[in-house]
Amino acid sequence: ILNLGFKRFTYQELKKQQLALGLDLQGGMSVVMQVDLVELLKNLSGGSEDPNFLAAMSKAKKDMNVTSGEDYITLFRNAYNEIAPGQNLANIFAVNRSLSDEINISSTDDEVVQVLRKKADETVDRTFQLMKKRIDKIGVMQPNVTLDNRVDRIMVELPGVRNPEAAKAYLVTTANLQFWEVYNAGDQEITGALQRANAALIASQPKEETTSTEIKEETSSIVDVDSSQMKFDDSGNRIDSFYLANSDELEKATTPDILTNNNAGPLFSLLNTPDYTVSGPAVHGIANYNDTAAINVLLQKREVKTNVPVDVKWLWSEKPVKKNGEFTSDYELYAMKTNRKKQAPLEGGHVTNAQPNLDPSTNEYIVNVAMDQEGAKTWGRLTERNVGRPIAIVLDNEVISAPNVNEAIKGGRSQISGRFTPDEATNFANFLNVGALPAKPEIIEASVVGPTMGEDNIKSGMTSLAVGVGLVLIFMILYYGSGGVFSIIALLANLIFIIGTLSSLGTVLTMAGVAGIVLTIGMAVDANVIIYERIREELRAGKTMGTAIKDGFEASYSAIIDANVTTILTAGVLAYFGTGPIKGFAVVLIVGVLSSLFAAVLLTRLMIDWWTSKGRTVNFSTSMFRNAFSNMNIDFVGKGKFALMASGLFILLGIGSMFMRGWELGVDFKGGRSYTVKLADDIDTDRMRTTMTDVFNGETPIVKTFGSPNQVEITTSYLIDDNGADSTVLDALYRGVNTYAGGSLTKAQFDGGTEADNVLQRSAKTSPTIADDIRGSSIISTIIALLLIFSYIWIRFRKWQYSLGAVAALFHDVLVVLSIFSLLHGLLPFSLEINQAFIAALLTVVGYSINDTVVVFDRIREFFDSYTGKSKEDVINLGVNNTISRTIITSLTTLFVILILFLFGGTVIQGFAFALLIGVLVGTYSSVFIATPVVNLLTKEGDLKKVKTSTSNKSKGYQRKVAAE
């Protein structure tokens, strides 16, 4: 145990707090899940069958897939008001006795919605908390689980996951365990029921004949799976995405009258008689996976319902039938005995403990369960009246097993078998120990990053970080001499502070976060540059070293605070509206700015004061750069008029391109699936595009080189509206890539999962809902950032001309960057996608640009108080000329690290770095040639001279002297 002074930590506690790496740095999976609240509303309504209520729930769920920024409860209310105008929601929910204390028949819609929202928040939060507990049991190192309660979404990052499909199934399983009594095929109540139902279906059919093939075609919209493509592991789990339709979900489904020319009849042409010696007496039929949807529709028809017991609930087996040691694509049909409430006699909530184990008698894995007192009593009664009969064990409406009860079980301890593998038994036990999720989460976005890509990203990120830091260190020593050494020490300390703080906060470091650190390094020297340039001016004014250092620090505080507050404002907007890597980037930027302020202002001052107190001297310039920028006298205001015209013409050209060419929208802005594919030889993108168009049913994907000639990124919107089509699209991708590669590519080589040379390097999915949200939040975040900056500058400078000049420069920067990305996309050898990373870069540019502009404005404001006899053009020019050294030096140090990031950061970050590179150049230009000319145009002589400044009178006096010299 280590004693760190404040708290005693164990090694494991410290291990958990180490800086976690994101998926793009080590591989793994990221998913965004929407919490489905439909069942919650059904339960709160007491199972209402009101058609308006059902229609409103359906419309609200549909609207969630196309509408951004609204939660389900709000959409439900809007839909109900539209479908049933004038009707109160209280009529639906007041019948539920459990809500009688909160909702009565006279409650207003606002009061009802308030209660529903409260219940929804509780459900979502409970789902989130249970999901965290469940994920903690996976064994993944440092998983990251967050909740966006604005839209009821859970974001999960699982670093190092090697079986994404199994992980997805683990996440979306609600783990609703139920124990049901069942009808055996020989029970008197049900004997011959299906035969009678089949005969009734035949009798009800018109004279025209339809084949059973057409039955399946009519239900293809419900389940569309090619059973020949179905793949199973050794335990019978579908390897691809698996959705088995059930009667509850298809209860409202309708099809035309089903006919047949097969003597077996509509039902038995699809449902086969089981071998009871193998399947057991509880199985009523066996059907191919592809036929289950059609059978479910038939089982809901009136002809069937009138011939089977009214309390029957039909469910399918979780796993397929096994023959000759291999799993087939056939599933078993069971008939549950329900009650009036259609509730299971016993549910998993009574399980207090579950442990996986190996049954020595069968050599199969089982799960031993212990129940609470009430559960034990119920289980005892249930087994006692079913001795000699099976009881079905059901998980999420799929029958795991239906073991025969040999004797009554009174102790509340039992075992569950289900042909489990060791991992399945462990996962099942975890489900039972954590508890069932109160609401089902649906995956609406998924991203998988291969481990090889992660290793490449780590190398490129660390390389760019090391080279960028090295260049900044060298420059600071060459330009500022021994003063630069103190900056280097502060910069290295700053890095330690940043990494330590991020570890303490539990931040997951992604490639965007590495970019944030690199950018922070470039911007961290800004405060030192402002201070050192001010000290040099004080020394040139004839002050002693001690006085120059003291006045230089004091006179710099205003500009440093203003510049960094505006950067934090934009980073705060990113942190609030961003998700995933973008939020991480914003957190890194905020931490970096705060840490840089501490290191540059306090730590550097302490080191310099300590050094000079020993009688030693400090150099703030070298002979090479001693007089650099000291006698600048450029008419920036005059040249600004031409700059404004040139910028206006370029922006007009860019706007024309935006309308004509548009942008290369990333998958997170338009929705779709994106795959990175790497082959041994260079890839012909045109031929790959043609091949992929064929396998995507004529829908042409975007295929572009990604990093190296033998690696491409394939983006498609094929089946994007179908959440269950991930495996279908992936199989199509494999067939297309295999066809391109000449048919020699095996599935294991394509996405084996554990091999470092997988062809499929990365995959990502963004639903249209997420894309809408990202677009909306990007626009909102940009507008809010500009408004915050405008307000802050107005408050600090107390003149609207400064605010408008700064915002004009920011609009200029944003439009120029957007114009360049529109004009050049498809022409450069790397991607210029408009995506979340681009928005992060754009807002970072906004922060950087305003940082630069505020420093210039701060000096202009100071000079207007000092030089009352000069014209406004002269004062503005003087302010810009006096800060040009800081502007150029800061831009150079920032460009050093961004250029290195662009060159060595790798393909994943190249577009992001390019946006920063252009943004820094444009931001530096706009601070001088856009912001100040706009201020000049908006003001009259004397307008800005009434502004009070916090700068000392001593500083004003030496400025006059500098000007005279």
Side-chain angles (χ1 to χ4, degrees), residues 775-932:
R775 281 199 302 269
S777 63
S778 298
I779 295 171
I780 292 172
S781 59
T782 304
I783 293 173
I784 290 178
L786 293 176
L787 288 175
L788 286 174
I789 290 169
F790 180 90
S791 302
Y792 178 79
I793 295 177
W794 196 350
I795 293 170
R796 287 288 288 136
F797 288 80
R798 298 183 182 178
K799 288 292 181 180
W800 63 269
Q801 291 92 336
Y802 288 117
S803 293
L804 203 56
V807 172
L810 297 183
F811 269 112
H812 165 273
D813 299 342
V814 169
L815 289 174
V816 168
V817 175
L818 286 172
S819 297
I820 290 175
F821 267 62
S822 176
L823 289 165
L824 298 182
H825 80 80
L827 303 178
L828 296 179
F830 53 88
S831 173
L832 292 182
E833 281 190 357
I834 303 293
N835 51 25
Q836 286 192 84
F838 173 81
I839 297 301
L842 198 63
L843 288 181
T844 303
V845 167
V846 167
Y848 177 86
S849 177
I850 197 63
N851 181 311
D852 203 11
T853 302
V854 164
V855 172
V856 176
F857 281 0
D858 190 76
R859 189 63 64 90
I860 292 173
R861 179 183 61 173
E862 178 184 330
F863 281 4
F864 266 117
D865 286 347
S866 301
Y867 300 101
T868 56
K870 288 182 177 292
S871 67
K872 65 183 177 69
E873 288 83 2
D874 290 340
V875 173
I876 291 174
N877 277 328
L878 186 61
V880 177
N881 279 291
N882 269 262
T883 54
I884 197 68
S885 58
R886 176 263 165 203
T887 299
I888 293 175
I889 293 169
T890 300
S891 297
L892 280 176
T893 54
T894 307
L895 285 171
F896 282 158
V897 290
I898 295 177
L899 184 61
I900 295 301
L901 187 67
F902 175 71
L903 295 175
F904 300 104
T907 54
V908 174
I909 209 75
Q910 205 163 27
F912 173 82
F914 182 74
L916 289 176
L917 197 65
I918 297 299
V920 168
L921 291 171
V922 174
T924 303
Y925 160 83
S926 69
S927 299
V928 175
F929 290 106
I930 302 297
T932 48

Side-chain angles (χ1 to χ4, degrees), residues 117-338:
R117 184 66 258 174
K118 177 186 174 184
K119 298 293 184 183
D121 288 342
E122 292 173 353
T123 300
V124 171
D125 185 65
R126 176 67 176 160
T127 302
F128 171 63
Q129 297 300 332
L130 290 177
M131 183 66 72
K132 286 204 300 183
K133 289 182 180 180
R134 179 184 292 185
I135 290 171
D136 285 341
K137 294 180 178 293
I138 295 180
V140 174
M141 189 66 174
Q142 294 176 308
N144 184 35
V145 189
T146 57
L147 171 65
D148 185 349
N149 50 22
R150 295 172 299 171
V151 285
D152 305 326
R153 287 180 189 151
I154 299 173
M155 282 71 73
V156 179
E157 291 185 347
L158 301 175
V161 166
R162 294 294 179 262
N163 191 340
E165 292 303 325
K168 287 180 185 178
Y170 184 82
L171 292 175
V172 300
T173 299
T174 56
N176 182 24
L177 181 69
Q178 297 174 321
F179 300 84
W180 289 96
E181 293 180 277
V182 299
Y183 280 108
N184 283 346
D187 288 346
Q188 184 176 357
E189 306 98 312
I190 203 168
T191 300
L194 291 180
Q195 286 87 347
R196 292 192 299 273
N198 190 54
L201 287 171
I202 295 174
S204 67
Q205 59 192 5
K207 294 181 179 180
E208 294 83 4
E209 294 186 345
T210 304
T211 66
S212 59
T213 301
E214 290 170 309
I215 297 174
K216 288 184 278 186
E217 290 175 352
E218 289 173 348
T219 58
S220 62
S221 61
I222 302 170
V223 174
D224 183 14
V225 176
D226 181 2
S227 61
S228 66
Q229 297 297 321
M230 293 168 61
K231 298 176 176 62
F232 303 93
D233 59 22
D234 292 337
S235 61
N237 291 313
R238 283 282 301 279
I239 296 173
D240 55 345
S241 180
F242 175 48
Y243 174 78
L244 187 62
N246 61 61
S247 57
D248 282 349
E249 294 164 329
L250 296 173
E251 194 167 332
K252 305 301 179 184
T254 59
T255 61
D257 288 334
I258 299 176
L259 310 173
T260 181
N261 59 5
N262 188 322
N263 292 331
L267 189 57
F268 291 137
S269 63
L270 303 175
L271 188 66
N272 300 314
T273 302
D275 181 352
Y276 294 111
T277 61
V278 177
S279 297
V283 177
H284 292 264
I286 293 178
N288 184 276
Y289 172 82
N290 253 10
D291 296 335
T292 56
I295 293 172
N296 285 334
V297 173
L298 289 170
L299 292 175
Q300 296 304 316
K301 293 185 75 66
R302 179 179 55 82
E303 291 82 0
V304 175
K305 285 189 171 184
T306 55
N307 282 287
V308 299
V310 69
D311 61 347
V312 165
K313 177 178 180 177
W314 300 101
L315 294 179
W316 294 94
S317 60
E318 182 213 13
K319 291 182 179 179
V321 176
K322 197 171 187 179
K323 289 183 179 179
N324 300 323
E326 294 185 1
F327 286 98
T328 66
S329 57
D330 293 334
Y331 288 80
E332 298 168 329
L333 181 66
Y334 292 82
M336 308 297 111
K337 275 186 180 180
T338 68

Side-chain angles (χ1 to χ4, degrees), residues 555-578:
S556 302
Y557 291 152
S558 176
I560 291 173
I561 291 172
D562 286 341
N564 284 279
V565 166
T566 50
T567 302
I568 289 176
L569 286 175
T570 55
V573 171
L574 270 179
Y576 183 79
F577 288 100

